Amino acid sequence: AGDAAAGKVKAAVCAACHGANGISVNAMWPNLAGQKADYIIKQLKAFKAGTRKDPLMSPQAAQLSDQDIENVAAHFSSLK
Amino acid sequence: AGDAAAGKVKAAVCAACHGANGISVNAMWPNLAGQKADYIIKQLKAFKAGTRKDPLMSPQAAQLSDQDIENVAAHFSSLK
């Protein structure tokens, strides 16, 4: 399972767009606070595998290990 | 702009999976309550155009007009 504390560290780069509190800074980028962890995992894996494409997200996801993905998902889903 | 009241009516079918209050009933489906309206619009249009594919969402989006999409987005983003 995901480790939210490790995820918080890993998610420092995510916070630039998705907000340190998981409320995104731009109307076109999704809020992640309280989102379903499994949904976040599914989307990050899709970006990593290329079954879902986005110029910003694809390169980000490419650098994440499966454990990173679980940790980041645990982190964001734990935010209110 | 979107009409949240009309969107609520149109979103009756969405509530089956995304929850009447926008908190989804399944870990693999995203919560939509309070999500960014423009992000919801962007994803529904992507599902409608096929640039994003999902066996459940693609057929749903195919039936929505652009106004429906704006209304549904206004509805879900207005939920807390």
Side-chain angles (χ1 to χ4, degrees):
Chain A
D3 170 346
K8 182 169 184 170
V9 174
K10 192 71 195 174
V13 61
C14 315
C17 298
H18 292 291
N21 56 359
I23 304 302
S24 67
V25 300
N26 169 319
M28 297 298 282
W29 301 335
N31 299 326
L32 297 181
Q35 185 54 276
K36 293 285 199 285
D38 287 350
Y39 177 73
I40 295 174
I41 291 167
K42 184 179 166 198
Q43 297 312 311
L44 282 175
K45 287 187 173 178
F47 282 126
K48 188 173 175 182
T51 49
R52 183 177 173 185
K53 292 185 176 55
D54 179 272
L56 287 174
M57 277 307 295
S58 300
Q60 294 293 338
Q63 303 160 34
L64 299 174
S65 69
D66 283 350
Q67 190 56 58
D68 287 334
I69 286 175
E70 293 206 6
N71 294 346
V72 165
H75 164 62
F76 279 114
S77 60
S78 73
L79 299 178
K80 277 293 153 289
Chain B
D3 169 346
K8 182 169 186 173
V9 173
K10 192 70 197 175
V13 60
C14 315
C17 298
H18 292 291
N21 56 0
I23 304 302
S24 68
V25 299
N26 170 317
M28 296 298 281
W29 302 336
N31 298 327
L32 297 180
Q35 184 53 275
K36 294 284 200 280
D38 287 350
Y39 178 74
I40 295 174
I41 291 168
K42 184 179 166 196
Q43 297 311 312
L44 282 176
K45 288 187 172 177
F47 281 127
K48 188 173 174 182
T51 49
R52 183 177 173 184
K53 292 185 176 55
D54 179 272
L56 286 173
M57 277 307 295
S58 299
Q60 293 294 339
Q63 303 159 32
L64 298 175
S65 69
D66 283 350
Q67 191 56 58
D68 287 334
I69 286 175
E70 292 207 8
N71 294 346
V72 164
H75 164 63
F76 279 114
S77 59
S78 73
L79 300 178
K80 279 293 153 287

